[in-house]
């Protein structure tokens, strides 16, 4: 059986207020927004979960065998 990490879409993160972003992620809102833009430039659609070491180019977790 495989388990999968959850993720947040970059689009949903971009719609958050600065305060919400700073509550969800570490750093200042402008730094977080720059990171989101860089992810999008690389073709990513989602923010991968921390610790996920098995993801596709768009950021989706490909699963982990238990």
């Amino acid at each position: 059986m495989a388990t999968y990490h959850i993720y947040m879409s970059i689009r949903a993160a971009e719609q958050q207020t600065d305060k919400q972003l700073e509550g969800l992620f570490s750093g200042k809102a402008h730094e977080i927004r720059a990171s989101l833009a860089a992810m999008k430039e690389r073709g990513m659609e989602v923010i991968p979960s921390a610790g996920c070491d098995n993801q596709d180019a768009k950021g989706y977790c490909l699963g982990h065998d238990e």
Side-chain angles (χ1 to χ4, degrees), residues 17-32:
T17 66
D18 288 352
K19 184 175 181 175
Q20 288 170 323
L21 277 179
E22 290 174 357
L24 289 169
F25 305 103
S26 297
K28 301 285 184 186
H30 70 277
E31 296 167 339
I32 298 165

Side-chain angles (χ1 to χ4, degrees), residues 46-59:
V46 300
I47 303 164
S49 291
C52 181
D53 61 357
N54 189 28
Q55 54 195 253
D56 67 12
K58 294 183 179 187

Side-chain angles (χ1 to χ4, degrees), residues 2-66:
T3 59
Y4 295 85
H5 285 97
I6 60 169
Y7 53 83
M8 179 180 208
S9 74
I10 293 172
R11 180 186 298 176
E14 290 175 324
Q15 294 174 353
Q16 303 301 304
T17 66
D18 288 352
K19 184 175 181 175
Q20 288 170 323
L21 277 179
E22 290 174 357
L24 289 169
F25 305 103
S26 297
K28 301 285 184 186
H30 70 277
E31 296 167 339
I32 298 165
R33 290 190 190 283
S35 293
L36 294 171
M39 285 184 224
K40 280 177 58 175
E41 287 177 15
R42 292 193 311 265
M44 296 179 76
E45 295 177 358
V46 300
I47 303 164
S49 291
C52 181
D53 61 357
N54 189 28
Q55 54 195 253
D56 67 12
K58 294 183 179 187
Y60 294 96
C61 178
L62 296 172
H64 305 269
D65 291 330
E66 290 185 16

